[in-house]
Amino acid sequence: MKKTTALTLAATAAVATTLGLSGCTTDADTASYNLSQAAEQFEIERRITVTTGFANEVALQVEGRCSVESADSFLAGALEITCKIGPDRYAKHFVVKGDNDIVTIQQTETVDVSVYHHRVLIKPENLLPEFDYEAGEQ
């Protein structure tokens, strides 16, 4: 009976330790996450540069408040770059990476992101669906 209790306590301690360690995040993880969130909200200035490996020349350079994501649509292995260029104006670029191309994404300004608090972004336009209402004669 004592052996079973000891095994149960050891198993419980192992599970608790595993769960405790898997939930640990460092300040660097938190800051990285906060920077990524700010970039997706077009709050961070970036420079995206595509360099060709064969000619070792800059093929494309985009600067501004840009979001960079993998293009999951029709272009396999492409990058989708969306930049905010005005209050309600956006531009989209696609970069199809070749075998020898190098893409660098640089943050061009420092940004103060706190590791001590979080923020919640609520966009009402994403909560309420856009719908068309038609009223006809009866």
Side-chain angles (χ1 to χ4, degrees):
M1 182 125 173
K2 289 182 182 181
K3 200 175 208 182
T4 305
T5 305
L7 285 173
T8 303
L9 286 175
T12 303
V15 169
T17 301
T18 302
L19 291 175
L21 290 176
S22 67
C24 292
T25 57
T26 65
D27 286 350
D29 294 333
T30 303
S32 176
Y33 176 79
N34 288 344
L35 284 169
S36 295
Q37 292 298 315
E40 293 305 309
Q41 297 301 317
F42 304 106
E43 297 172 2
I44 293 184
E45 293 282 334
R46 288 176 159 176
R47 177 183 304 119
I48 299 107
T49 306
V50 180
T51 308
T52 62
F54 292 119
N56 199 23
E57 295 177 350
V58 173
L60 173 75
Q61 190 168 52
V62 179
E63 292 189 32
R65 296 182 181 272
C66 300
S67 166
V68 181
E69 296 182 6
S70 295
D72 294 330
S73 58
F74 59 94
L75 299 172
L79 293 178
E80 182 178 309
I81 303 168
T82 307
C83 299
K84 187 170 186 174
I85 57 174
D88 291 320
R89 299 184 62 212
Y90 300 88
K92 183 179 271 193
H93 312 279
F94 289 94
V95 175
V96 180
K97 298 182 293 183
D99 292 337
N100 292 317
D101 295 337
I102 299 169
V103 178
T104 58
I105 303 167
Q106 300 169 293
Q107 179 178 324
T108 59
E109 298 177 341
T110 60
V111 179
D112 183 22
V113 293
S114 177
V115 295
Y116 298 110
H117 76 277
H118 69 282
R119 67 183 190 173
V120 177
L121 300 171
I122 298 175
K123 292 193 168 194
E125 63 269 17
N126 292 340
L127 296 176
L128 299 173
E130 200 173 302
F131 60 90
D132 294 327
Y133 176 75
E134 292 184 23
E137 295 180 19
Q138 296 195 17

